[in-house]
Amino acid sequence: MKVNGTFCSAVAGFLLIGSVFGAEPPGGRLLEGTGQETPWHRVLSGEPGPVVMIVGGLHGNEPAGARAAEQIRHWTLLRGELIVIPRTNAAGLRAGIRFVPNLSPAMRDLNRNFPKINDRNEAVGELAAGIWRLVGECKPDWLLDLHEGTDFHQINKHSVGSSIIPTKGAGMEEAVQQALVAVNATIDEPKKKLVRLRYPVNGSLARAVHERLGVRSMILETTVKEQPLSRRSRQHRIMVHAILRHLGMVSSCVHLMAEPLDKVSDKERSRRIAIYDAGGTGGAGARRLEVIFGQMPKSLTRRVGPPEIRAGALTQFDMVVFPGGSGSRQAAALEKEGRGAVRRFVEAGGGYLGVCAGAYLAVENYSWSLKIVDAKTVDTRNGHWKRGEGMVKMELTKRGRELLGDFGGTVDVRYANGPIFAPAGMEELPDFEALAHFRSELAKNGARPGVMVDSPAILCGRIGKGKVICISPHPECTEALHGIIRSAATWLVDK
Ligand SMILES: [Zn+2]
């Protein structure tokens, strides 16, 4: 088990509180036994202070708030308590749709089903009623409702994306300002910074709890458009963290994304996989890989980007995955500090899975590459790396079948300008082992014919206490080959 080093060291002093292994965390389930069942959590400090309710996923096509809330519930408190419902519209989140599935148009928007002004003090539908009851029982002082808009409000006034929509009450303006300052400090483009908007819509949870129960509430909105999930979830964490800090409540670091490892017993331990989804990634790689890892027993995935990585957040994970896209752009996004953090993470015992661009990122021969495996790429100059995209033949080696599954003979796999590997001859690292070879090739754009055939398609290596697997093609694009990805992750994670 890895222990947090410099990362979030402030947490260490509080780890003993409530750290009984195996104890059921306080909380419960809404609509238990139905298709809309969803857990809620109570985070206690043991000290008097504000009660803050954090709600995610009222709209199922706004996943960043749900993800952030699921992370925030593991933060350690100095005082007061948190009530967290990460996935309120769990069925909508699973389906990736805004509404609660299978409900009539009048009832399906969960965030319009709370008591309206000049109307009965009743929520509409079982799910909203369950949430409303929980609010009534917990009597929060504050409620933070995490949403996402389609566009940046400063660019497109029709969207509430990238805004905070507060109600009123003592301390509200200060809290909003703290959140805006904190999140906007991380955003370079002025038009993408968050702004304060007027007042929550009638029928929304935030408005109802304020008007009916006097709760100080606000809606926090990130923007889906052109922004990776890691960034949107991070913006929610940053805003919530700033508000909780303003209330003197939080001691955890803003990048704490899962239960601190010291609190988890070995028996309950998940395989923790960080999936890089930020600058230099492209297409559906991160999403596909996340689905595949999600099918592994006891797996936990989180999306990460350069800020978490540079802050040392990888120490919360067993392995990191860099998907397809552009290796040089991933390296540029990470910056020198982030590349150093990835390298140190692997040397200290972490696993590294690089697919296509992520494999380019791992090798030895670029000024920007991580040099965590004794392999270089060949025939990449003068645009030769652009060998083409399409299906090619691949054959696993004996070692490959031991590690990745018993795929006999040649298999068809998608290829998209992946690296052609050769030994780099690094003194300080052991030689890589080939786990599969290409048995056919693509050689467009002046690439040399004959170079790709029989070169390694998948390889593994070791650095320090850590392990590396580099995959040149895209087995994640072919369902029959998903076992290769899962077996690779299992080998990388298991000690
Ligand atoms: Zn929403």
Side-chain angles (χ1 to χ4, degrees), residues 326-329 331 339 343 356-373 375-382 384-386 417-421 424 426:
S326 158
S328 62
R329 275 189 266 138
R339 298 195 295 270
R343 199 187 150 99
C356 196
Y360 276 107
L361 182 63
V363 297
E364 180 267 349
N365 58 302
Y366 300 99
S367 59
W368 44 261
S369 58
L370 297 174
K371 303 167 181 57
I372 53 174
V373 64
K376 63 180 180 182
T377 64
V378 296
D379 197 30
T380 59
R381 285 167 194 269
N382 304 318
H384 288 195
W385 64 271
K386 247 181 152 178
N417 302 313
I420 308 304
F421 301 116
M426 294 167 77

Side-chain angles (χ1 to χ4, degrees), residues 440-486:
S440 70
E441 72 174 359
L442 292 169
K444 292 180 183 161
N445 294 311
R448 287 206 311 275
V451 172
M452 183 170 165
V453 171
D454 298 337
S455 73
I458 305 177
L459 56 81
C460 68
R462 289 175 186 268
I463 175 169
K465 295 177 181 163
K467 301 179 199 170
V468 177
I469 288 182
C470 291
I471 303 178
S472 174
H474 289 280
E476 79 277 15
C477 290
T478 304
E479 200 173 345
L481 302 180
H482 287 179
I484 288 178
I485 301 282
R486 284 191 288 269

